[in-house]
């Protein structure tokens, strides 16, 4: 709920410097109305992240104060039609265009849909097969890793954010297996890089 606070000032004689700053139109002690939503004085609600909620609360609980604040803050501009701007347009102008808390959503980077297969030498005549790019087709890498391990009866692991390492040289068979299991991966989307160094 809103609270009001009084600011007591001493006698004019005890505060010699402040006597000249006193406004004769203001009634002392000053009563401050605090917002029930943001807990700031109602004059500062417009600077909060959600001023519309503060405005609704003030209109519901203190309509006279709401009327005073809205008539004081509305600029006397006119639109092209000659009508005063509506509150929606005014609020649109006040909205922050850049930065802010969670205002801007990151756009997903568009990565080309390519699956690359490479044979990497491990030791002497042993190889591992690296499959990259399944993530671009929205294929679950853990599920693909389990599938490859079961299909080829070998060890397989997800090493990077879009890379599966299969123990053994399966570059000849893996293209057909991928297309059989995931038909959305077509022939043009698969690159066989051959033997590459790590």
């Amino acid at each position: 709920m809103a609270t009001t606070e009084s600011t007591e000032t001493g006698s004019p004689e005890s505060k010699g410097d402040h006597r000249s700053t006193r406004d004769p139109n203001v009634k002392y002690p000053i009563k401050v109305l605090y917002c029930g939503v943001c807990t700031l004085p109602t004059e500062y609600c417009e600077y909060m992240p959600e001023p519309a909620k503060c405005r609704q609360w003030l209109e519901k609980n203190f309509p006279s104060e709401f009327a005073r604040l809205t008539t004081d803050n509305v600029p006397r501009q006119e639109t092209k039609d000659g009508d005063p701007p509506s509150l929606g347009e005014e609020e649109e102008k006040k909205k922050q265009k850049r930065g802010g808390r969670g205002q801007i959503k990151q756009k997903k980077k568009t990565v080309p849909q390519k699956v690359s297969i490479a044979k990497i030498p491990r030791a002497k005549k042993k190889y591992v097969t690296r499959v990259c790019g399944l993530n671009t087709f929205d294929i679950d890498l853990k599920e693909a890793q389990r599938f490859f391990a079961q299909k080829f009866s070998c060890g397989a692991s997800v090493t990077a954010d879009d890379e599966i390492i299969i123990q053994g040289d399966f570059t000849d068979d893996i293209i057909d297996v991928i297309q059989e299991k995931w038909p959305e991966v077509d022939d043009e989307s698969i690159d066989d890089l051959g033997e590459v160094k790590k």
Side-chain angles (χ1 to χ4, degrees), residues 162-181:
D162 192 18
E163 180 181 86
I164 297 175
I165 300 291
I166 305 166
Q167 294 177 3
D169 179 15
F170 300 105
T171 51
D172 299 333
D173 304 329
I174 200 157
I175 295 173
D176 296 330
V177 169
I178 288 174
Q179 288 178 338
E180 182 182 310
K181 174 73 174 171

Side-chain angles (χ1 to χ4, degrees), residues 76-94:
R76 299 287 179 199
Q77 297 176 352
E78 292 188 355
T79 58
K80 298 174 194 171
D81 309 344
D83 299 329
S86 65
L87 288 177
E89 292 173 11
E90 181 183 332
E91 201 169 300
E92 189 66 34
K93 288 178 186 176
K94 284 185 183 179

Side-chain angles (χ1 to χ4, degrees), residues 117-121 127-130 169 171 193-197:
I117 298 167
K119 180 170 78 170
I120 301 171
Y127 294 96
V128 293
T129 305
R130 181 182 69 194
D169 179 15
T171 51
L193 303 176
E195 187 175 327
V196 295
K197 299 282 183 187

Side-chain angles (χ1 to χ4, degrees), residues 143-156 166 181:
E143 179 189 323
Q145 171 251 322
R146 277 188 242 113
F147 173 74
F148 291 140
Q150 186 178 11
K151 182 74 177 175
F152 298 119
S153 299
C154 64
I166 305 166
K181 174 73 174 171

